[in-house]
Amino acid sequence: MVAFLTRVKGGFQRLLERPSTVDLKKYGEVLTSIEWREEKAAKLSDAELTEAAAALREKAAKGLDSQGMVELCALGREAANRTLSERPYDMQLVGAMELLHGRVVEMGTGEGKTLAGALAAAGYAIQGRSVHVMSVNDYLARRDAEWMGPVYALLGVSVGWVDQESTPEARREAYGRDVTYGAVSEIGFDVLRDRLCTDEAELVHREPDVALVDEADSVLVDEAKVPLVMAGSTDDAQGDPEVAAIVRALRPGQHYERDEDNRNAWLTSRGAKVVETALGDIDLYSGDHSDRLAAVNAALHAHALLQRDVDYIVRDGKVHLINTSRGRIALLQRWPDGLQAAVEAKERLDPTESGEVLDSISVQGLIGRYQRVCGMTGTATAVAEQLREFYELKVSVIPPNKPCVREDEPDRIYDTVEAKEKALVAEIVARHELGRPILVGTLDVAESERIADRLIKAGVVSVVLNAKNDAQEAAIVANAGEFGAVTVSTQMAGRGTDIRLGGTGGDDAAHDKVAELGGLYVIGTGHYASSRLDNQLRGRSGRQGDPGGSVVFASLADELVAQYAPDAGAASDPDDDGRYDDVTAQRFLDHAQRVAEGVHLDIHRNTWRYTRLIEHQRGLVLAFRDDVLRNDLAAEQLSERSPGRWLKLAEEVDEEVLKRVARQVMLFHLDQRWARHLAFLSDVRETIHLRALARETPIDEFHRAAIGEFKGILKEVAEQAVETMETAEITDDGLDLDAVGLRRPTSTWTYLVHDNPFDSDAEQALQRVRAAIRKVKAAKA
């Protein structure tokens, strides 16, 4: 009964907290007051406007009241008008105010999210808070910081940015500003780097305060499970070229098999025999050859499950992973070392350096550090439940400044991929003959190149935008609205660039010429696993009341259907062109997408259940580490545990030197012990589902193992530090850490792990759905 009431209560809560369009009536009086104050602000000199913002800063130390909000918006609107020649619309001001209330705001493409976010960030800064504006990549972070810089300057707010090229000094300076722009991964990597500092002066971050997240759905949902990793150099073995060559010769169905989801691959008995013979007649499954078995499994995964130009590309002699939610290169992202090395061996590339994981943090864990989180995106409604469940964030939908008049056509569904692509190319040719600009959104790199080749054969030259030329992507996207332009692109999420009709250099005549043709025509080559990504693609057309159109070409042989609705079919036969004209085909497509969304939500929930405990343990360790780094905790603990040795050293060694040595020794043992703990959890994680086969609950077993291993860690660290201090030779010059075996890695690097360690969670969820479908069909039969 209690469980039932809890579910009912949760259902009512979700109903009450569903995102809704902001009620503009409550802002009517505020917007009127802003306009009145704006008239006075317009008469101020630049210096007087900055002085007015400074006066507001003094009043707003404890927060912005309603009058303070009016003053902020009026001054911000005037500052933007003067510096950017852009007077923020009322809806942009409403968006900024909702951000200042800690909401995730949904604003359509072209509605001015960047400026609304800047006004909100300035508002937080004027209240004395430090703000990190998190973007999806370095390019957008720097662009927006420099673009909005003049607005901030006129308001007396300092702004900086960080990217992969920033030096420690530049990072420290940027984080010292009121507002700091950076890619979410780069900000996270700086958190990890700070966790390895042994001197307080080396830190670059301040205490986390406000996070304003751009493309919030991509960052908070799509990338929430991705771990950011700090690694240190080791002498571990690299990929095995011999094993890669053996596996390369294996044949599917004969030597190995794959599951229907293409998530797992395994050797058949015949395949195992071939591999064992090639490796010198070994017993692959004996304990003596476990390392060989691991190498074979990694090589088989790389060979059978990972496709070049779909999951990764090869550029400049290196493997670059592709971010599946954006279709662009995932910078600094890699698989776990064994699989990474196997892919490099598969492609006959020089191996990259391997390393020991020193620390890691998930994007969700990173965001959880901030006192206040808000964000903006064009597609928040679809993930409102996840934002509430995982971040306790509410969504506010901001009405468009002008009504959207884009025409979204019904799907055109075909029986085969070949029929679909043939019809798609014919449609592009027909529209292109009229000069209407076309943006083709593809599902992966291989498909974008295949479509581009088909267009060339049809006499249409297109610009291909995918993970292989991401350096020029902003300029290419910006000009996709030119007369006669045909742009073929992988997933557009996070591109962050408006598409103006007529192109960036076009005048009103160029704009009107394209508008008369119907505006930008967006064509999808299939549905994504999330309807949200479909909407992001459609949203590239029809900005600020411009005309536009969109359509999706799909087939019942698409990967989405094959994976999530394998029994799909239509009530009637297709026509001579392979096209279906009945509602059944559309229902199957919609069903497949809903199943995919449900499976991914299950993955998110399950992964968070595992990582939440690790984040808690990490928090305890970091609180202890911070106390050691900033204070004299190490000296206090060591003097208590070894008073005789400490007193002897205090006659012999300068007090400050002794405190510094104690700090260095304690931090070394703490960092080393935490790295070992992470390695232990990784081992547990890799074998956790073997316990499920033994009828044990994986999450309970994981928690039991993790909690048991964590107990006594801090005590163990202190004991190891005492042992070092007891035997080490310490002088006024300090301690030679290397001489006593306290060697830190000679080099460190950061990367993102492209990995779902609990993949069988997804598989189990999918199997449950499919089993339910089969039961329903059986019942109907």
Side-chain angles (χ1 to χ4, degrees):
M1 186 65 179
V2 174
F4 171 74
L5 291 175
T6 301
R7 288 196 299 272
V8 171
K9 180 181 178 182
F12 276 120
Q13 183 179 10
R14 285 192 293 273
L15 181 64
L16 293 173
E17 295 182 354
R18 282 191 307 181
S20 58
T21 303
V22 171
D23 182 4
L24 297 181
K25 291 181 181 178
K26 72 175 183 179
Y27 281 112
E29 188 175 326
V30 175
L31 291 171
T32 301
S33 298
I34 290 171
E35 287 195 13
W36 177 83
R37 178 67 181 96
E38 182 189 0
E39 293 178 5
K40 294 188 175 182
K43 299 175 182 178
L44 300 176
S45 67
D46 285 356
E48 289 172 333
L49 194 152
T50 303
E51 289 175 6
L56 177 60
R57 188 185 283 257
E58 291 181 6
K59 297 177 184 177
K62 294 185 179 179
L64 287 169
D65 56 17
S66 58
Q67 189 55 45
M69 194 73 79
V70 168
E71 180 78 352
L72 169 70
C73 290
L75 295 177
R77 174 179 265 174
E78 179 60 24
N81 196 26
R82 291 187 191 184
T83 59
L84 305 178
S85 298
E86 293 183 17
R87 180 180 179 272
Y89 305 121
D90 284 352
M91 293 304 98
Q92 287 174 287
L93 297 183
V94 171
M97 288 186 277
E98 288 291 300
L99 286 168
L100 285 164
H101 286 120
R103 302 292 182 91
V104 171
V105 299
E106 178 173 292
M107 298 175 68
T109 302
E111 294 295 319
K113 291 188 290 292
T114 302
L115 180 52
L119 295 179
Y124 279 118
I126 283 173
Q127 297 175 66
R129 308 191 70 168
S130 63
V131 186
H132 289 169
V133 181
M134 296 184 174
S135 187
V136 293
N137 58 45
D138 285 348
Y139 164 76
L140 291 177
R142 179 172 182 173
R143 184 204 69 177
D144 291 351
E146 293 178 339
W147 181 16
M148 297 292 119
V151 179
Y152 286 118
L154 202 51
L155 294 173
V157 174
S158 60
V159 62
W161 49 268
V162 294
D163 65 11
Q164 294 179 48
E165 305 301 321
S166 299
T167 64
E169 292 74 19
R171 294 173 189 277
R172 201 170 291 114
E173 181 183 358
Y175 288 123
R177 302 288 178 91
D178 295 325
V179 178
T180 309
Y181 283 75
V184 62
S185 56
E186 200 59 36
I187 291 173
F189 289 147
D190 280 335
V191 169
L192 293 177
R193 294 183 188 106
D194 272 359
R195 291 179 180 178
L196 294 181
C197 289
T198 57
D199 190 313
E200 188 176 357
E202 298 172 354
L203 299 173
V204 299
H205 267 294
R206 292 189 288 172
E207 284 296 310
D209 188 8
V210 177
L212 195 161
V213 186
D214 193 12
E215 300 293 346
D217 56 334
S218 293
V219 172
L220 300 180
V221 177
D222 296 335
E223 298 185 2
K225 306 177 294 295
V226 176
L228 287 71
V229 176
M230 167 72 76
S233 56
T234 65
D235 298 325
D236 289 349
Q238 301 291 339
D240 192 327
E242 180 188 12
V243 171
I246 294 170
V247 169
R248 195 178 292 120
L250 300 181
R251 296 292 174 261
Q254 182 178 356
H255 300 119
Y256 66 88
E257 295 180 352
R258 289 174 288 210
D259 62 14
E260 58 184 3
D261 303 324
N262 213 36
R263 292 179 182 274
N264 300 287
W266 57 90
L267 292 173
T268 63
S269 57
R270 184 175 181 180
K273 185 62 177 175
V274 168
V275 172
E276 288 174 335
T277 301
L279 290 175
D281 291 324
I282 66 172
D283 181 355
L284 198 56
Y285 298 97
S286 71
D288 294 338
H289 299 291
S290 58
D291 56 336
R292 282 296 209 182
L293 178 60
V296 169
N297 286 335
L300 184 60
H301 189 116
H303 173 73
L305 304 179
L306 298 177
Q307 298 182 49
R308 183 168 174 169
D309 290 336
V310 174
D311 301 296
Y312 65 93
I313 66 171
V314 176
R315 179 195 289 176
D316 300 328
K318 293 185 178 180
V319 169
H320 298 272
L321 274 67
I322 294 174
N323 184 314
T324 54
S325 68
R326 294 201 196 98
R328 62 154 54 105
I329 285 180
L331 295 174
L332 295 178
Q333 190 162 326
R334 60 184 282 161
W335 291 287
D337 282 337
L339 183 55
Q340 181 76 20
V343 174
E344 290 163 350
K346 167 190 174 182
E347 298 294 344
R348 299 179 174 90
L349 302 174
D350 292 334
T352 53
E353 193 172 17
S354 66
E356 173 190 33
V357 173
L358 303 177
D359 201 3
S360 66
I361 186 172
S362 67
V363 172
Q364 189 161 339
L366 172 67
I367 297 297
R369 302 171 68 248
Y370 290 85
Q371 301 300 311
R372 167 65 67 89
V373 178
C374 58
M376 50 194 181
T377 178
T379 48
T381 303
V383 292
E385 182 178 349
Q386 295 178 61
L387 294 175
R388 179 190 60 79
E389 179 178 345
F390 299 117
Y391 301 98
E392 298 182 353
L393 289 172
K394 296 181 179 179
V395 171
S396 295
V397 180
I398 309 299
N401 183 56
K402 295 180 180 178
C404 179
V405 296
R406 184 184 66 243
E407 296 182 9
D408 297 323
E409 302 174 23
D411 291 352
R412 302 186 194 180
I413 306 171
Y414 295 82
D415 57 348
T416 66
V417 173
E418 175 64 27
K420 175 187 75 172
E421 293 188 354
K422 184 178 179 181
L424 183 149
V425 169
E427 178 72 7
I428 294 172
V429 170
R431 302 277 181 168
H432 179 64
E433 288 177 351
L434 302 175
R436 186 176 185 181
I438 301 166
L439 174 64
V440 183
T442 64
L443 300 175
D444 56 54
V445 176
E447 185 177 47
S448 67
E449 296 185 339
R450 189 170 66 246
I451 296 297
D453 288 341
R454 282 179 175 267
L455 287 173
I456 290 174
K457 293 175 182 177
V460 176
V461 177
S462 63
V463 178
V464 180
L465 175 65
N466 57 40
K468 288 190 174 180
N469 60 7
D470 54 320
Q472 298 86 29
E473 67 179 22
I476 296 173
V477 170
N479 287 299
E482 284 184 341
F483 179 84
V486 178
T487 308
V488 179
S489 171
T490 49
Q491 171 45 0
M492 301 294 291
R495 299 291 181 183
T497 304
D498 280 351
I499 300 176
R500 300 177 184 272
L501 298 189
T504 55
D507 54 15
D508 289 344
H511 172 280
D512 294 344
K513 183 178 181 181
V514 172
E516 289 172 1
L517 295 172
L520 179 67
Y521 192 47
V522 172
I523 300 178
T525 62
H527 283 289
Y528 295 98
S530 166
S531 59
R532 179 168 46 87
L533 300 184
D534 290 340
N535 292 333
Q536 286 175 357
L537 178 61
R538 289 192 185 98
R540 289 294 161 182
S541 176
R543 62 178 296 278
Q544 282 295 321
D546 281 340
S550 75
V551 66
V552 173
F553 281 73
S555 87
L556 295 186
D558 285 350
E559 180 65 22
L560 176 69
V561 179
Q563 187 167 348
Y564 296 104
D567 300 325
S572 60
D573 293 330
D575 62 19
D576 293 341
D577 294 324
R579 184 177 177 181
Y580 290 109
D581 191 23
D582 66 71
V583 295
T584 309
Q586 185 66 59
R587 287 173 183 166
F588 270 114
L589 273 176
D590 295 342
H591 170 72
Q593 193 172 61
R594 286 195 299 271
V595 172
E597 290 173 334
V599 167
H600 288 117
L601 178 56
D602 259 6
I603 294 173
H604 194 164
R605 283 178 175 146
N606 284 327
T607 304
W608 181 232
R609 290 171 66 202
Y610 284 95
T611 57
R612 188 163 48 184
L613 175 63
I614 302 175
E615 293 295 342
H616 174 69
Q617 293 180 342
R618 180 179 283 110
L620 296 176
V621 168
L622 290 178
F624 179 80
R625 192 185 200 282
D626 195 60
D627 203 359
V628 171
L629 182 67
R630 299 176 186 272
N631 304 306
D632 295 329
L633 180 62
E636 293 170 4
Q637 286 206 0
L638 294 177
S639 62
E640 290 175 4
R641 290 176 176 273
S642 183
R645 173 62 171 166
W646 190 263
L647 286 174
K648 184 176 185 300
L649 290 171
E651 288 157 4
E652 296 176 358
V653 181
D654 178 79
E655 182 181 8
E656 291 304 314
V657 172
L658 192 55
K659 288 180 179 178
R660 186 180 74 246
V661 169
R663 183 179 301 116
Q664 291 174 333
V665 170
M666 184 76 82
L667 289 176
F668 174 86
H669 286 296
L670 179 64
D671 294 343
Q672 185 185 61
R673 185 62 184 86
W674 177 247
R676 291 210 317 270
H677 184 64
L678 291 179
F680 169 80
L681 295 180
S682 179
D683 289 341
V684 172
R685 200 166 58 180
E686 289 175 2
T687 60
I688 198 69
H689 290 288
L690 296 178
R691 308 187 184 206
L693 298 176
R695 305 290 184 179
E696 298 172 351
T697 305
I699 184 66
D700 292 341
E701 287 303 303
F702 181 82
H703 281 182
R704 186 176 295 114
I707 292 172
E709 177 70 8
F710 187 76
K711 283 182 180 178
I713 275 187
L714 299 185
K715 180 181 178 182
E716 181 182 333
V717 166
E719 291 172 350
Q720 291 173 334
V722 167
E723 184 178 338
T724 298
M725 295 293 287
E726 288 279 1
T727 58
E729 182 178 344
I730 303 172
T731 67
D732 281 338
D733 293 329
L735 172 65
D736 185 344
L737 297 175
D738 285 348
V740 294
L742 306 188
R743 297 186 183 88
R744 288 188 175 272
T746 54
S747 63
T748 61
W749 62 94
T750 52
Y751 59 90
L752 290 87
V753 175
H754 184 84
D755 177 34
N756 172 23
F758 308 108
D759 194 47
S760 54
D761 285 334
E763 184 182 348
Q764 290 170 7
L766 190 56
Q767 294 302 334
R768 286 197 297 271
V769 171
R770 287 179 176 164
I773 293 172
R774 284 193 290 269
K775 286 182 180 179
V776 170
K777 288 186 175 181
K780 289 181 178 179

